[in-house]
Amino acid sequence: MSRIAYVNGLYLPHAEAGVHIEDRGFQFADGVYEVCEILGGHLVDETRHIDRLLRSLGELRMAMPMSRAALGVVMREVVRRNRVRDGVVYVQVTRGVARRDFLFPAGVAPTLVVTARPADRAKTEMTAATGISVITLPENRWERVDIKTVGLLPNCLAKEAAKAAGAREAWYVDRDGFITEGGSSNAWIVSAGGALITRPAEFGILRGITRTVTLEVARRLNLTVEERPFAREEAYAAVEAFGTSASLGVMPVVRLDGRVVGDGKPGRAARALRAEFHKVAEIAP
Ligand code: PDD
């Protein structure tokens, strides 16, 4: 079955789908995106993802290409046409096509691309059952990582470095020695006292949708949560660690820079949060 992509009003086979060579997304990474989980054919946390897309667009003075209701229809149609049961839908908006100039062009229509792809749920569950390895790297991104832009080259480099070290994810460490977030996930640890610790999302990280929902799951499970920065040394001493993202959910971390975290197995809190997650997330009809 050929994969179908939505590009500016058309549903096209991937091989025929494309954008202009002077699209500002291509030339300047002048675009934003969302990755939304699909579970059993349903969008997970669509409202929060579209809210965040609107925020990212607003921060960059970029226009929303269509109403949020219309975007919801397109996302569902792309999921349907690709027959995705479990996977992700990807939405990208760029400032559009214009002669290459640093200044924002006037009167240009934004570009909208929507794709969907299946994920191997059983494989992800197996990964979650054993946990992943993470390395740490110096933070080297711009300050506005709260905006979900397609400018992800530092993140690609970080994840390449992780792979070269036999790890799955890289956590950035800021100049003061505090963990910010992962290359494509938010970072969490659990203290010896059982408190969940994750960095506040006001500065230096993306406010992950999975992070937001996980905070709510934690509250419902009566787990103690401390939203505060934590240092790499504190993470080394943690009894548990995990990451959160739309594509992997709550993902236990069992090794950090080659050191065993806790007892080297996915922790109790991470497992409980993962198990309860979809009971709290918004599952769209
Ligand atoms: N990444 N931090 C970064 C830098 C991310 O790229 C992501 C998501 C997250 C987690 O956000 P959320 O819970 O909303 O997925 C945090 C997506 C999955 C990606 O780029 O593929």
Side-chain angles (χ1 to χ4, degrees):
M1 193 192 79
S2 86
R3 290 182 65 201
I4 301 293
Y6 173 94
V7 185
N8 293 331
L10 299 173
Y11 294 93
L12 300 166
H14 268 223
E16 291 163 31
V19 295
H20 195 275
I21 54 165
E22 288 200 305
D23 191 284
R24 288 182 60 96
F26 180 55
Q27 291 190 324
F28 294 113
D30 189 0
V32 299
Y33 76 104
E34 284 295 326
V35 176
C36 182
E37 185 193 3
I38 305 159
L39 183 72
H42 302 280
L43 301 180
V44 178
D45 283 317
E46 174 191 7
T47 309
R48 289 185 181 93
H49 281 284
I50 308 245
D51 284 349
R52 187 173 64 185
L53 179 68
L54 291 171
R55 178 184 181 276
S56 295
L57 290 167
E59 290 297 308
L60 297 175
R61 289 185 279 139
M62 227 182 265
M64 176 76 163
M66 58 175 64
S67 71
R68 61 185 299 156
L71 180 57
V73 171
V74 171
M75 288 164 77
R76 280 172 182 72
E77 188 59 16
V78 171
V79 170
R80 192 186 69 77
R81 290 195 189 216
N82 288 282
R83 297 197 193 128
V84 177
R85 298 297 299 160
D86 298 315
V88 293
V89 56
Y90 176 82
V91 177
Q92 179 174 339
V93 182
T94 77
R95 201 178 302 277
V97 178
R99 191 175 64 97
R100 188 177 180 280
D101 184 350
F102 288 88
L103 298 174
F104 293 169
V108 165
T111 299
L112 172 62
V113 172
V114 182
T115 58
R117 71 165 191 231
D120 186 340
R121 226 170 104 101
K123 198 170 152 203
T124 309
E125 288 310 322
M126 269 165 58
T127 305
T130 44
I132 62 165
S133 296
V134 168
I135 60 164
T136 61
L137 290 173
E139 180 65 85
N140 62 355
R141 301 173 300 162
W142 74 328
E143 283 192 349
R144 296 308 308 276
V145 292
D146 56 302
I147 309 172
K148 199 162 173 60
T149 81
V150 295
L152 293 171
L153 187 52
N155 310 55
C156 295
L157 291 171
K159 290 175 85 81
E160 277 292 320
K163 188 179 176 197
R168 174 75 182 252
E169 177 62 300
W171 283 2
Y172 289 113
V173 182
D174 70 14
R175 281 195 204 160
D176 300 318
F178 293 105
I179 306 272
T180 55
E181 63 178 338
S184 63
S185 56
N186 289 117
W188 302 65
I189 57 168
V190 181
S191 71
L196 303 183
I197 302 162
T198 196
R199 188 183 175 100
E202 272 63 50
F203 184 79
I205 66 166
L206 180 75
R207 189 183 292 276
I209 305 300
T210 319
R211 173 189 181 281
T212 299
V213 174
T214 300
L215 284 169
E216 178 58 26
V217 180
R219 271 179 218 113
R220 295 199 194 183
L221 292 174
N222 284 322
L223 299 172
T224 306
V225 176
E226 292 174 19
E227 274 189 87
R228 63 165 174 84
F230 59 93
R232 175 167 44 193
E233 297 307 319
E234 191 175 2
Y236 288 155
V239 296
E240 278 188 47
F242 60 94
T244 52
S245 70
S247 43
L248 295 179
V250 176
M251 182 53 68
V253 172
V254 294
R255 289 184 96 86
L256 188 59
D257 289 334
R259 301 157 194 238
V260 173
V261 177
D263 63 2
K265 297 195 190 96
R268 209 152 53 130
R271 282 187 286 125
L273 292 165
R274 183 174 183 86
E276 295 298 309
F277 185 84
H278 290 115
K279 296 178 192 162
V280 178
E282 175 199 65
I283 315 279

